[in-house]
Amino acid sequence: TAARFIKAIETLKRELKTCEQCFNIADQSPCQICKSPTRNKKTLCVVEDINDVMAIENTEQYKGVYHVLGGVISPMDGVGPMDLNIEELIQRIENLLWQRPRT
C-alpha cells in the first residue's frame, strides 16, 4: 500500500503542471478553464491560490477565467509583490484592454 501511495505521488508530481495563463494547477497548459471556448475571457477572477479556484468552480456559477496570485503579500513572512504572479496579472489586464474596441 505504501509503495502504491508513493508511486501515485510521484506520478502527480511528474504530470501536474502550472497553467501558463492563469497559474492554476492542471494536467496540461493551458488548463481546461483557460482553453474552454465557453468561458468569458474578459471576466477575470483574481484569487489567492488554487483552493479558491476549486471553491468557486464548485458553485458552477462563475463563467469567466482566473488568475492565481500564488499567495498574499506578507512582510512578516518575507513575501513581497515580486514573489506573487502580479506582473503577469498586469500583463493580462493590459492585453485585455488592448483587445477592447477604442471609443
Side-chain angles (χ1 to χ4, degrees):
T1 303
R4 284 188 302 202
F5 181 67
I6 291 169
K7 186 174 180 173
I9 291 175
E10 288 172 344
T11 300
L12 272 175
K13 183 178 176 185
R14 185 176 56 251
E15 294 182 6
L16 283 183
K17 299 169 179 41
T18 301
C19 176
E20 63 204 32
Q21 293 178 12
C22 72
F23 299 94
N24 193 13
I25 292 187
D27 59 352
Q28 56 187 330
S29 184
C31 69
Q32 292 285 57
I33 295 171
C34 287
K35 72 179 189 178
S36 171
T38 62
R39 292 289 183 148
N40 180 350
K41 305 289 192 286
K42 293 185 179 182
T43 303
L44 185 62
C45 180
V46 180
V47 297
E48 178 182 344
D49 60 34
I50 61 170
N51 294 323
D52 298 323
V53 173
M54 290 188 291
I56 295 168
E57 282 298 292
N58 283 336
T59 69
E60 298 181 6
Q61 299 298 305
Y62 180 67
K63 303 302 179 199
V65 293
Y66 298 93
H67 186 88
V68 180
L69 290 174
V72 293
I73 295 172
S74 176
M76 296 292 289
D77 296 321
V79 179
M82 300 308 287
D83 299 309
L84 306 176
N85 299 318
I86 295 175
E87 287 296 321
E88 295 86 351
L89 173 61
I90 293 168
Q91 186 64 46
R92 283 183 83 180
I93 293 169
E94 287 175 350
N95 290 342
L96 282 174
L97 292 174
W98 282 105
Q99 292 174 4
R100 293 192 176 166
R102 303 281 178 183
T103 56

